[in-house]
Amino acid sequence: MDNPLTLEPLFHAGPVPITAPVLVTWAILIGLALGCRIATRRLSLTPGRLQVVLELFVTVVDDQIRDTMQRPPARYRPLIGTIFLYVLIANWSSLVPGIEPPTARLETDAALALIVFAATVWFGIAAQGLRGYLKTFAEPTWVMIPLNLIEQVSRTLSLVVRLFGNVMSGVFVIGIVLTLAGLLVPIPLMALDLLTGAVQAYIFAVLATVFIGAAVGEHSPSPETAKDLPQ
Amino acid sequence: MSIDWWTLGLQAVNVLVLLWILSRFLFRPVSDIIAARQAAATQDLDAAQATRAEAEAALAAAQEQLAGVAATRAQMLAEARSEADRSRDQLLSEARAEVEKLRTAAQADRLHRQQEASHAMHAEAAELAVDIARRLLDRLPATARVAGFIDGLAEAVARLPERTRAGIGAEGPVPLRAAAEMSGDEADHLRERLARVTGHPVALAVTTDPTLIAGLELDAPHAVVRNHFRADLDRIRQELLKND
């Protein structure tokens, strides 16, 4: 088995090395784009089954954002919904034989965490202004500024490490079991991996919501609520 | 441990592209259709609420109108009852008055008829009595039907005023009606008695009138002196009828 921390390019597009996570992500991207285009082409006030599922998904995302941030969800819905959907499908892509989930690679998780970090800063400044956002680092006192800066970095790193560790370990365990016990034994572990993938997608999306909510203002809940979530 | 920065950058770009795609083709249309449905539901609810308000207002108006109709009906019933009572009382009073009037008229008519009947009966009785008396007196002899009344006639003339008495026979023969034909003695006796009471001789123009039954009637210029049964019976009959 390859070292999970090393990534070999499959081919090069000019100077750019194209690795497996990028390729899988493109496949997910194309699949989601086509699926959404087809699914939302004929929306109506009297929904069909597929439309009901889509509306349920959007409604659940909205409710989650509204409950966590105490704000109208429209502005944050695309980011949170995209993160959840991408992480979920990426995690579950391990079910396809020969496919390694992109989230089992550090680069993908880091990219996601960086996007969340950038969104936190962007929405924080948009909501409170640059000065107001920077002031939040001096709360409750200026003494906390170093700690708050470290917190910004550490919670971003925790996002990366949490997702990477859980997904990579699942893939790694299933690979080991497959080499040791043959065909049927890994099935329960794969089912568990599905559950773990869904939970990790939910955790990543909720943590992103909490971080953005903490950045945008007083009405949002404290980041302390993140501690209640499973690690 | 090494990080492939190209992969990291590409994955970040990929996620951002996916973010744009999902935002464009999933979240926006779905949230739009949800909002449209909510707007339609709100509109339907508003319309239903407006309709309900209109219905409630119409119901309230109908109830108010019904109450007004009931009040008007009660008032009209009361007025009709009062009017009926008044009409009944008026009709009753009119009927009573009419009955009383009819009863009074009937009573008066009955009394009148009774009086008429009584009067007729008395008249008939009087006629009958007179007729009986006349028939009975017809049986008297002719001399008795004149001679017995000569003194009475003379006394009646004597009771006349002096001036009236003086005028009797002054202008010629005095008409004298006798119930029966007078004899010469009876005529002489009468002239003698009249000459005594008047103080001068009286010429008589004697005529016979059986309707007198018995007696004489002197027709002086200013007085009529009667002494006969016919006048007595007429007086008796008048008295009888007057007493009725």
Side-chain angles (χ1 to χ4, degrees):
Chain A
M1 178 172 284
D2 296 335
N3 185 349
L5 299 179
T6 61
L7 195 59
E8 295 298 328
L10 297 177
F11 59 91
H12 284 80
V16 180
I18 305 301
T19 56
V22 174
L23 215 56
V24 174
T25 299
W26 283 348
I28 292 172
L29 192 151
I30 292 170
L32 277 177
L34 290 176
C36 291
R37 185 73 186 94
I38 294 169
T40 59
R41 195 167 46 185
R42 290 176 184 168
L43 296 177
S44 69
L45 291 177
T46 307
R49 290 181 181 178
L50 182 59
Q51 185 178 338
V52 168
V53 172
L54 294 177
E55 290 184 9
L56 181 64
F57 171 67
V58 173
T59 305
V60 168
V61 171
D62 283 355
D63 290 343
Q64 190 66 49
I65 295 170
R66 195 180 290 110
D67 292 343
T68 306
M69 301 174 66
Q70 304 296 316
R71 283 173 178 271
R75 197 172 181 189
Y76 313 101
R77 182 193 305 127
L79 177 65
I80 304 301
T82 301
I83 287 173
F84 173 77
L85 208 55
Y86 172 70
V87 173
L88 179 70
I89 293 174
N91 289 346
W92 284 358
S93 65
S94 64
L95 293 178
V96 180
I99 297 296
E100 186 184 37
T103 45
R105 291 292 175 178
L106 201 58
E107 288 80 2
T108 305
D109 300 333
L112 287 169
L114 283 175
I115 288 172
V116 170
F117 175 77
T120 303
V121 176
W122 170 265
F123 285 123
I125 293 173
Q128 305 190 60
L130 180 60
R131 197 180 186 87
Y133 177 69
L134 291 177
K135 273 185 179 177
T136 60
F137 290 93
E139 290 174 353
T141 65
W142 63 271
V143 179
M144 297 294 289
I145 290 175
L147 290 176
N148 284 333
L149 290 172
I150 292 172
E151 183 199 8
Q152 291 290 318
V153 177
S154 65
R155 70 186 186 186
T156 303
L157 282 176
S158 75
L159 279 178
V160 177
V161 172
R162 184 186 300 107
L163 183 60
F164 170 69
N166 280 284
V167 179
M168 183 272 293
S169 62
V171 172
F172 205 61
V173 168
I174 289 173
I176 293 172
V177 171
L178 266 175
T179 55
L180 293 177
L183 187 61
L184 297 177
V185 176
I187 290 177
L189 293 173
M190 292 172 75
L192 182 64
D193 201 34
L194 280 178
L195 178 64
T196 305
V199 170
Q200 288 304 316
Y202 174 73
I203 289 171
F204 199 96
V206 169
L207 285 176
T209 309
V210 171
F211 295 157
I212 294 169
V216 294
E218 297 176 353
H219 293 291
S220 51
S222 165
E224 296 293 322
T225 54
K227 295 176 182 174
D228 297 333
L229 294 169
Q231 302 294 311
Chain B
M1 177 181 174
S2 62
I3 291 179
D4 184 355
W5 296 102
W6 278 110
T7 300
L8 194 153
L10 283 174
Q11 288 294 70
V13 171
N14 287 340
V15 172
L16 290 177
V17 170
L18 182 63
L19 172 65
W20 180 82
I21 289 173
L22 291 184
S23 173
R24 175 80 173 78
F25 294 113
L26 176 64
F27 294 110
R28 189 182 302 168
V30 173
S31 61
D32 286 348
I33 198 71
I34 291 173
R37 184 182 297 110
Q38 286 176 343
T42 304
Q43 191 175 2
D44 289 346
L45 280 174
D46 291 344
Q49 206 159 8
T51 306
R52 181 179 175 182
E54 288 178 3
E56 286 177 349
L59 180 63
Q63 284 176 341
E64 189 177 352
Q65 195 172 3
L66 190 63
V69 168
T72 307
R73 174 176 167 273
Q75 185 180 357
M76 290 176 71
L77 279 176
E79 288 177 355
R81 194 174 291 118
S82 173
E83 183 65 27
D85 289 344
R86 272 202 305 275
S87 298
R88 187 194 61 194
D89 293 343
Q90 186 176 357
L91 285 174
L92 280 175
S93 64
E94 286 177 1
R96 285 198 189 98
E98 187 70 19
V99 166
E100 186 65 24
K101 186 178 173 183
L102 288 174
R103 193 174 65 81
T104 306
Q107 196 169 8
D109 187 56
R110 184 173 55 82
L111 285 174
H112 183 63
R113 286 175 187 276
Q114 280 180 351
Q115 285 176 353
E116 281 185 345
S118 176
H119 191 70
M121 191 172 65
H122 281 97
E124 193 175 356
E127 287 292 338
L128 187 61
V130 170
D131 189 53
I132 291 170
R134 192 183 69 241
R135 290 188 183 203
L136 289 174
L137 290 174
D138 280 346
R139 296 180 62 186
L140 291 173
T143 54
R145 295 169 65 181
V146 174
F149 292 88
I150 293 173
D151 293 339
L153 183 67
E155 290 173 1
V157 171
R159 287 195 294 270
L160 290 174
E162 179 64 30
R163 193 171 175 182
T164 304
R165 273 182 302 170
I168 294 173
E171 297 175 357
V174 179
L176 177 71
R177 289 190 298 159
E181 192 173 352
M182 295 181 67
S183 63
D185 294 340
E186 288 171 340
D188 292 342
H189 182 61
L190 179 58
R191 285 189 197 95
E192 181 199 356
R193 290 285 294 167
L194 289 175
R196 193 183 301 167
V197 296
T198 58
H200 59 272
V202 175
L204 297 173
V206 180
T207 57
T208 303
D209 185 2
T211 61
L212 300 182
I213 303 172
L216 302 165
E217 183 174 306
L218 183 68
D219 192 5
H222 301 294
V224 176
V225 181
R226 296 182 184 94
N227 186 22
H228 51 78
F229 278 3
R230 174 80 257 172
D232 292 341
L233 288 176
D234 286 344
R235 190 166 54 251
I236 290 169
R237 187 176 62 183
Q238 290 297 328
E239 289 294 328
L240 286 173
L241 292 177
K242 194 193 299 181
N243 290 334
D244 290 342

